[in-house]
Amino acid sequence: MRLGRIASPDGVAFVVIEGDSTHSAVCREVAEQYLSRNPTFTGRSWPLADVRLLAPILASKVVCMGKNYAAHAREMGGEAPEDPVIFLKPNTAIIGPNVAIQLPADAHPVHHEGELVIVIERPCKDVPAAKAADYILGYTIANDVSARDQQKKDGQWMRAKGHDTFCPVGPWIETDVDPSGLDIRTEVNGTVRQGSNTALLLHDVGAIVEWVSAVMTLLPGDLILTGTPEGVGPIEDGDTVSITVEGIGTLTNPVVRKGK
């Protein structure tokens, strides 16, 4: 089941998206003011082609995994640490599909990072890995946009990864997908930059939920970005970034430079 959030001629709505083709898919409005695997329908619906997809969830926080693919850790100049590394992006960084990533005028270079995302369904604290699936609504896609010069200068990652628009999310949440072996690909202007598989995650979904929920309570709608594979690289004004995760879909965003 695909769960999403749309802007329609009638306003903003949470929906279930049915159908495989953009031209024939239908968005069925759900009555609840949140997304769940057991929605109640209002009876209203819109063709997907007639609405605008928004970021599918309004997260209270965005938790990110650093260096969770060995090859990416090496391309960044080191080996992956034994324990997971986590950091936060503010929820104000979240944007939806087709919304522009805005590069700060003084940030060079800014990199794309395509990632599989865990979406939490219910309050989650001290959850063992074996029970993680009981707390997961589904999976979506994100771009952990990162200003590398600020990351290096600051010695920590909050400013570099926390700018407004630095967390594109979407296009929807897929509830029926096995996250353990999904191909993940990032393209910039149609050229493949990143190509990997979630089977190469150093810490899998269960381990991630266990580690993060031992630190903080996760709330419904919270997002956990699982880490990016090797191949990160710069994005520039005028580029288009598309991230595809097998079984979920494609998240596409244009890129603009602020101040132009």
Side-chain angles (χ1 to χ4, degrees):
M1 182 166 57
R2 285 181 292 170
L3 306 174
R5 194 167 63 98
I6 63 166
S8 79
D10 302 306
V12 174
F14 287 106
V15 296
V16 172
I17 302 165
E18 299 178 345
D20 295 329
S21 168
T22 300
H23 298 291
S24 62
V26 173
C27 302
R28 298 178 63 196
E29 185 180 36
V30 302
E32 296 82 8
Q33 294 301 303
Y34 57 88
L35 293 175
S36 77
R37 285 176 283 187
N38 298 293
T40 304
F41 295 103
T42 66
R44 295 203 303 176
S45 64
W46 304 268
L48 178 59
D50 293 347
V51 302
R52 179 166 58 92
L53 286 167
L54 306 174
I57 204 75
L58 300 171
S60 76
K61 54 186 170 293
V62 181
V63 185
C64 305
M65 297 287 296
K67 300 181 179 180
N68 201 24
Y69 288 83
H72 172 60
R74 288 193 292 270
E75 78 175 349
M76 297 303 291
E79 295 298 318
E82 181 178 352
D83 290 331
V85 173
I86 59 175
F87 60 94
L88 295 172
K89 292 172 86 83
N91 58 11
T92 48
I94 295 172
I95 56 173
N98 302 311
V99 177
I101 299 166
Q102 299 183 30
L103 309 180
D106 60 349
H108 299 275
V110 177
H111 282 188
H112 61 78
E113 294 192 4
E115 309 200 14
L116 173 72
V117 181
I118 302 164
V119 184
I120 297 299
E121 181 172 27
R122 56 196 182 97
C124 176
K125 176 62 179 168
D126 294 324
V127 173
K131 293 187 177 296
D134 296 340
Y135 295 83
I136 294 172
L137 174 63
Y139 300 88
T140 188
I141 304 166
N143 188 349
D144 176 20
V145 183
S146 305
R148 296 299 186 206
D149 57 335
Q150 295 178 359
Q151 189 174 359
K152 181 177 180 180
K153 180 179 180 180
D154 295 353
Q156 50 84 18
W157 302 352
M158 190 66 188
R159 178 170 70 122
K161 292 171 175 282
H163 289 278
D164 289 355
T165 77
F166 270 28
C167 191
V169 178
W172 43 64
I173 299 162
E174 177 57 64
T175 63
D176 301 317
V177 66
D178 180 349
S180 62
L182 303 176
D183 288 336
I184 180 169
R185 182 179 73 252
T186 301
E187 298 180 6
V188 178
N189 303 327
T191 299
V192 177
R193 293 272 191 88
Q194 295 179 279
S196 190
N197 190 283
T198 59
L200 298 176
L201 285 168
L202 297 174
H203 307 283
D204 66 13
V205 165
I208 290 169
V209 171
E210 179 175 296
W211 182 269
V212 175
S213 70
V215 177
M216 67 190 77
T217 299
L218 297 167
L219 301 175
D222 281 351
L223 305 177
I224 307 178
L225 279 58
T226 60
T228 198
E230 73 278 12
V232 300
I235 51 177
E236 302 289 350
D237 181 66
D239 285 346
T240 299
V241 185
S242 293
I243 303 165
T244 300
V245 177
E246 180 185 4
I248 300 176
T250 300
L251 170 66
T252 297
N253 296 90
V255 181
V256 299
R257 175 71 66 177
K258 291 170 65 175
K260 289 197 64 174

